[in-house]
Each structure stands twice: as C-alpha cells, then as structure tokens.
Amino acid sequence: YEIMPSLVGSEMCIRDRHGIEDFILIKKIQSGDTDAFEIIVRKYYQSIYLFCCRRLNGNPDTAADITQDVFLKLLENIQSVRKIGKFQNYLLTIAVNTCNNYTKKAKPLYMDLETLEDIEDTDNAFEKIELNELKAQIQYAINTLPDYQKEVIILRFYYDLKIREIATITKASVSTVKSRLQQGIKKLERYLADFRGGDNV
C-alpha cells in the first residue's frame, strides 16, 4: 500500500483476492456500522500491537497507545479505502509511519522483559538465520539495530512478508530493503556471537 505521510486525503487502494471479507467490513464501516469496525479491530489488533511492541523495544504501554492511534487513523481515513487486499499490510504501513513519527520525537525506550516473554513468535520466524536464542536475547539483539533495519527484520521474520511487500510498507526501494535486511542479519549474527562468547552463529 502507498499511503501519503499525512494519511489525510490520500487514496488508499488495497488489492488482493483474499480480501473479500475485509472488503465487506470496510464497506459497512464506510456506511457507519460501528460493529464492523470493532470486528476489524479484534481481527488485527494483536498483530499490529506485536509489531509496535517489537519496534518500540518492548514497551507495552507505548505500543498500546500507538496501536490505538493506528486504528484511529484507519477510521479517520476510512472513506478513502476503495479496495481490500492484504489488509494487514495496509495496517502495518500505518503502524510503521506512526512508530517512526513517535521515535523521532520520543526519548529512548527500554525493553520490558516480562512483556516480551508473553509475545508469541510466528513459527520458525528466525529459521533462515538460525537464531535459537531465547526471545528476550533475540529482542535485545534487534534493539541494537537502527530503526530502518529493525523494522525490515521484524516485517520479514515475524510477519513472513516478501521483500517487495516490505518495500511498499516502508516506502523504500526493493534494493534498499535487501541491503537493510542483509546488514541487519549480519549485525544480529555478530551480536549473538558476542553474546555466546565468540561462538559462530
């Protein structure tokens, strides 16, 4: 999805053959059906919250606030939505923008270990880079990355998105996303190798 930075007045066009259910819900919301909006929130809240929590270094309160902002922005711009596809990707685009805007003016955030222990990772999320550390250790490693690398790592390995999808969500070129992903993985490997006392990852 391509969303203008302001989000207001932009035309949100979402395409995917699997989005019929969401399309029906969006049309109902556009007609003033508040129950349909609640269904959308319940359906996608956890996914968006987990992205925000990881992106904001495990801060649960801030992640909850940002998640609420994401759905408020959805509601504010609901009339601009014309077609529905991978709706989660659309919401992740708003989440990326909102998290980036927040971190530009916020103080550094620190990880809440108890919160991270409650986060369920997607199956085999880090299989391709063979990270078998505990979730907290992995999150510590992710927290060391620059924000632009952090978000592509999260979107690729926690949400199993394709490079082109990540490029659309983050408004970067495919080559830029590939570079950020490769650099991020290398940094994670070095961090975890150091954490293990110099063993190779």
Side-chain angles (χ1 to χ4, degrees):
Y1 311 92
E2 184 173 359
I3 303 176
M4 298 301 291
S6 66
L7 289 172
V8 178
S10 61
E11 189 177 63
M12 305 171 188
C13 182
I14 310 169
R15 298 183 179 89
D16 188 85
R17 59 191 175 88
H18 301 295
I20 297 175
E21 178 183 344
D22 289 335
F23 175 74
I24 293 172
L25 289 171
I26 292 300
K27 297 302 289 184
K28 287 182 178 180
I29 298 170
Q30 290 173 336
S31 299
D33 189 334
T34 56
D35 290 338
F37 181 69
E38 291 179 3
I39 292 172
I40 284 287
V41 173
R42 287 198 300 270
K43 184 175 181 179
Y44 290 105
Y45 183 92
Q46 185 73 357
S47 177
I48 299 305
Y49 170 78
L50 292 180
F51 171 82
C52 293
C53 201
R54 292 185 178 104
R55 173 64 176 77
L56 300 172
N57 299 351
N59 186 302
D61 295 332
T62 302
D65 289 342
I66 297 299
T67 303
Q68 183 178 13
D69 286 345
V70 169
F71 286 101
L72 286 175
K73 288 177 180 177
L74 167 65
L75 188 58
E76 289 170 0
N77 296 278
I78 198 67
Q79 297 301 329
S80 299
V81 179
R82 293 193 295 118
K83 296 181 181 179
I84 297 298
K86 290 186 178 180
F87 194 59
Q88 177 177 263
N89 287 10
Y90 168 66
L91 290 174
L92 283 170
T93 304
I94 303 178
V96 166
N97 292 338
T98 307
C99 286
N100 287 341
N101 289 337
Y102 175 83
T103 55
K104 286 178 182 178
K105 55 187 177 182
K107 294 180 180 179
L109 297 173
Y110 299 94
M111 181 174 58
D112 184 327
L113 287 175
E114 293 183 359
T115 300
L116 289 171
E117 289 173 357
D118 292 335
I119 295 177
E120 293 184 2
D121 295 331
T122 55
D123 293 341
N124 301 320
F126 280 92
E127 181 178 354
K128 291 186 179 179
I129 51 175
E130 298 179 351
L131 298 180
N132 297 314
E133 301 294 329
L134 296 174
K135 285 181 287 187
Q137 295 170 359
I138 294 173
Q139 184 66 52
Y140 267 127
I142 292 174
N143 290 351
T144 67
L145 299 175
D147 289 340
Y148 60 87
Q149 291 175 0
K150 184 187 302 180
E151 64 190 19
V152 299
I153 288 288
I154 294 171
L155 292 171
R156 178 66 186 91
F157 293 107
Y158 283 103
Y159 291 84
D160 197 29
L161 297 184
K162 300 182 184 302
I163 298 296
R164 192 168 296 279
E165 291 177 307
I166 297 172
T168 300
I169 289 172
T170 60
K171 299 185 180 67
S173 67
V174 169
S175 60
T176 297
V177 171
K178 287 181 179 179
S179 176
R180 291 174 178 177
L181 188 61
Q182 291 170 354
Q183 292 173 7
I185 291 173
K186 289 179 180 178
K187 289 180 181 179
L188 290 179
E189 290 174 339
R190 287 198 298 268
Y191 180 95
L192 292 174
D194 291 341
F195 184 87
R196 295 170 177 172
D199 294 337
N200 294 327
V201 176

